[in-house]
Amino acid sequence: MPDPAPFRVVFVCTGNICRSPMAEVVFRTLAVDAGLGDRVTSSSAGTGDWHVGERADARALAALDRRGYDGSAHRARQFTVTAFHDNDLVVALDRSHERILRHWAQDDDHRDRISLLTSFDATAAAPDVPDPYYADDRAFDDVLGMIESASRALFRQLEPAIRPPRSAH
């Protein structure tokens, strides 16, 4: 029996250079560290096209690096309607992204794939992961902490469904 297709998650923020790339890298690391890197994939995109093709913001990369993550391979891209078909879960980093995604969704199947990242984290202090773009380096570290907490909660929820069943020997 062939392995099932991996569960695909896309994280969405405004320009795909700060929050969503951090979430993509954190979530991918959680999957790889749990031995499930082949069972789940993560990507990211922005609602806007301003930064398409660019690396993540240097401050986001530095925050990731300080916590042991590597975001150097990231290149920004824009979310398109086809991403609803290409992903099992579409995760918005704040409510403005969630509203935009719901507007772009073409049917209930698309809408059912959309979730707010903080909705998975019972300890989240606010519904939105704030945009650190116009803030200082510390804001990037704070935002990364929020993303790590919510991503761990999301991963814990998904893990039982993506973990392969144990074989009975």
Side-chain angles (χ1 to χ4, degrees), residues 3-156:
D3 286 338
F7 188 86
R8 300 152 307 171
V9 181
V10 61
F11 296 92
V12 182
C13 70
T14 306
N16 192 218
I17 59 168
C18 297
R19 293 170 285 178
S20 59
M22 288 194 287
E24 171 188 354
V25 169
V26 167
F27 193 79
R28 179 180 306 119
T29 301
L30 290 169
V32 169
D33 289 353
L36 297 171
D38 60 335
R39 308 276 301 180
V40 62
T41 64
S42 66
S43 62
S44 62
T47 57
D49 64 357
W50 311 279
H51 300 288
V52 169
E54 293 178 18
R55 293 177 53 125
D57 185 285
R59 297 164 297 172
L61 292 171
L64 287 166
D65 187 60
R66 282 191 291 277
R67 300 251 180 102
Y69 300 104
D70 180 6
S72 63
H74 175 77
R75 296 299 177 270
R77 63 188 182 99
Q78 185 177 18
F79 187 90
T80 63
V81 171
T82 59
F84 284 115
H85 302 287
D86 297 340
N87 291 280
D88 301 295
L89 182 61
V90 179
V91 181
L93 275 286
D94 72 28
R95 290 170 294 175
S96 71
H97 308 127
E98 184 182 32
R99 278 191 298 277
I100 291 167
L101 292 166
R102 289 194 183 286
H103 177 74
W104 288 346
Q106 296 179 326
D107 55 34
D108 286 340
D109 179 55
H110 289 177
R111 278 183 285 283
D112 290 345
R113 294 171 191 238
I114 302 167
S115 291
L116 192 59
L117 179 60
T118 56
S119 70
F120 298 99
D121 187 358
T123 67
D128 296 331
V129 175
D131 187 351
Y133 187 77
Y134 293 105
D136 60 14
D137 290 354
R138 182 172 176 188
F140 280 81
D141 290 324
D142 293 345
V143 162
L144 180 54
M146 294 174 71
I147 288 169
E148 286 176 316
S149 179
S151 294
R152 282 191 298 270
L154 168 58
F155 188 77
R156 279 193 303 273

